[in-house]
Amino acid sequence: DPDQGAQRKMTSPQAGCYLYHIGPADGRRDLKALGIVGGKVREVTYGKLSATISDCPVTRLSIMREHLITHQQVMQEAMAENTILPVRFGTIAEAKDGRSAEERIVEKLLKPRHEELGAVLEAMQGKVELGLKALWTDMESIFREIAEGNTEVRKLRASALKDASQQARMAVGRAVSQALLAKKESEKNQLLLALKPLADDMRSNKTFGDRMF
């Protein structure tokens, strides 16, 4: 019975538990990293799954360097031995209705999603997630390419030389901005096309600023 796999050493009903990741309940890990507020990192298990946790007050954690590094260190130590499913930074389970935070993690997460999370863990075996940021290092060259190679920009620039009004300058600015977005999309697609055969799955995130594409 998977219920027998649930740990019975629960914290007091008033305590909260910070969640780092979900992994297999293999019983082999002895994590040495300290938790978010210095507590001992441990596991609560149900069936074939475990949730790695540490005691933490039920509060909104600030996104400070110390907290982020601690969160990452706990996951990195676990990843050295097993495939894990990371939990979003700042996720804290709280005690409620006379049930401790650990009991609620079992009842609300590990038990009802046991098959789903187990299947995802199996699918992730032997894989790693990598993030890629690509940025231009010489924006002067990028804008020069746009000015020389984009027909619409060339026309508007020539027109602005004859008509030095604010409206003409704004038209040039809009055209350059649109051309920059098109160039970003084109170079992003070329890069992802080269990487796609190496990946099981990919996702594009938002870019920020002129340099990142």
Side-chain angles (χ1 to χ4, degrees):
D1 183 351
D3 278 313
Q4 295 178 355
Q7 288 183 350
R8 296 307 177 188
K9 294 181 180 179
M10 302 298 183
T11 57
S12 68
Q14 289 75 34
C17 287
Y18 186 93
L19 279 81
Y20 300 91
H21 53 261
I22 307 298
D26 53 26
R28 292 188 293 111
R29 282 200 296 271
D30 181 21
L31 299 178
K32 297 177 176 59
L34 290 178
I36 285 288
V37 291
K40 180 175 174 56
V41 177
R42 63 188 188 280
E43 295 180 344
V44 56
T45 65
Y46 175 85
K48 297 180 180 180
L49 297 179
S50 69
T52 298
I53 61 173
S54 65
D55 290 338
C56 181
V58 180
T59 184
R60 185 185 181 92
L61 287 174
S62 60
I63 305 177
M64 56 189 293
R65 184 171 182 271
E66 180 183 353
H67 289 160
L68 293 170
I69 289 176
T70 299
H71 182 97
Q72 187 67 24
Q73 284 177 337
V74 173
M75 290 197 298
Q76 286 179 337
E77 186 178 345
M79 287 170 61
E81 296 184 19
N82 283 309
T83 297
I84 63 169
L85 303 178
V87 174
R88 184 189 298 271
F89 173 83
T91 301
I92 301 173
E94 61 178 312
K96 191 174 182 181
D97 300 328
R99 310 293 282 176
S100 72
E102 289 190 19
E103 288 173 318
R104 296 188 72 235
I105 290 171
V106 171
E107 294 170 356
K108 301 295 184 180
L109 176 62
L110 299 183
K111 186 174 182 179
R113 300 184 64 183
H114 189 266
E115 295 302 321
E116 173 195 354
L117 294 174
V120 175
L121 272 175
E122 185 175 348
M124 293 295 106
Q125 290 293 330
K127 299 179 177 66
V128 294
E129 179 181 359
L130 301 175
L132 172 68
K133 291 182 181 179
L135 302 95
W136 289 310
T137 59
D138 184 356
M139 289 306 298
E140 185 177 338
S141 295
I142 297 300
F143 285 119
R144 185 164 56 248
E145 287 180 24
I146 291 174
E148 296 173 355
N150 186 283
T151 303
E152 181 67 14
V153 172
R154 285 206 312 271
K155 288 182 179 179
L156 289 172
R157 289 187 69 196
S159 177
L161 291 175
K162 300 175 183 178
D163 175 14
S165 66
Q166 182 179 3
Q167 185 176 2
R169 293 196 300 271
M170 289 176 63
V172 174
R174 286 193 297 269
V176 170
S177 179
Q178 292 172 358
L180 182 64
L181 289 176
K183 186 173 181 62
K184 282 187 174 189
E185 187 70 14
S186 174
E187 299 205 7
K188 178 193 78 173
N189 289 337
Q190 291 180 53
L191 181 59
L192 294 183
L193 184 64
L195 295 174
K196 192 172 183 178
L198 307 176
D200 280 349
D201 196 10
M202 315 176 64
R203 187 182 77 174
S204 294
N205 295 320
K206 291 181 179 180
T207 59
F208 301 94
D210 289 341
R211 297 176 57 221
M212 185 185 299
F213 62 89

